[in-house]
């Protein structure tokens, strides 16, 4: 019997499949099961979270650096505590494919993102020389995001299997579709957690 659900369980442990491949596989299952919230989450991961609520697992520590022509990238000192706190839990909004590409770059554990124009201009106004700014973080944060996404997909698929929601030849019957909506509603609610931290509004573009 061909099954999208069982096939996914085999794929998720196969390193030949990218996180994007796995999300697209899940998207097919979610669309067939009419899992609208899960479909939205998958599309956000694939396309990015611009102007949308970001799951807590995408909040990572980032630090502002400025470029010194003699010493390279140097720390930019921020004295406002609320700004520092915001950078310690900054939402990463770029598509998962860009996160994965960054995580695979083993030449350096340091990752850098450009600062959006408006914020860059505000920073320029605080110094008396021409320079550039960037956000800097650690490659480990990218790996953790990918692992979190994989865990969410695996948890969802296992919930389907535990409740005998397994397609036959890529087809789910009406009762399976209804049952899926009953047993998986909590999965999406776990994505966002407690959003008590300060969230900066800018979009981070690589």
């Amino acid at each position: 019997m061909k099954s999208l659900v069982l096939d996914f369980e085999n794929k998720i442990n196969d390193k030949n499949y990218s996180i994007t491949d796995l999300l697209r596989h899940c998207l097919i299952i979610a669309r067939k099961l009419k899992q609208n919230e899960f479909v939205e989450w998958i599309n956000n991961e694939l396309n990015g979270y611009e102007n949308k609520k970001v799951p807590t697992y995408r909040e990572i520590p980032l630090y502002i650096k400025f470029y010194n022509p003699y010493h390279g990238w140097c720390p930019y000192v921020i004295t406002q505590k609320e700004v520092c706190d915001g950078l310690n839990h900054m939402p990463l909004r770029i598509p998962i494919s860009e996160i994965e590409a960054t995580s695979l770059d083993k030449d350096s554990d340091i990752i850098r993102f450009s600062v959006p124009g408006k914020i860059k201009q505000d920073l320029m106004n605080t110094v008396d020389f021409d320079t550039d700014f960037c956000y800097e973080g650690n490659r480990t944060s990218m790996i953790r995001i990918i692992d979190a996404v994989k865990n969410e997909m695996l948890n969802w698929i296992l919930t389907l299997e535990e409740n005998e929601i397994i397609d036959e030849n890529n087809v789910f019957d009406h009762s399976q579709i209804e049952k899926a909506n009953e047993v998986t509603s909590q999965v999406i609610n776990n994505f966002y957690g407690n959003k008590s931290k300060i969230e900066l509004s800018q979009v981070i573009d690589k």
Side-chain angles (χ1 to χ4, degrees), residues 72-123:
W73 291 105
C74 300
Y76 176 83
V77 179
I78 302 174
T79 57
Q80 292 177 282
K81 182 180 183 301
E82 63 272 19
V83 176
C84 292
D85 290 343
L87 287 170
N88 285 335
H89 302 94
M90 197 158 186
L92 193 63
R93 302 179 180 276
I94 60 178
I96 195 74
S97 59
E98 295 183 37
I99 292 175
E100 184 168 50
T102 303
S103 74
L104 295 174
D105 182 7
K106 297 181 179 180
D107 291 337
S108 174
D109 287 332
I110 300 300
I111 56 172
R112 293 189 179 96
F113 303 94
S114 62
V115 175
K118 174 63 169 66
I119 297 173
K120 181 177 178 179
Q121 185 58 52
D122 290 342
L123 292 171

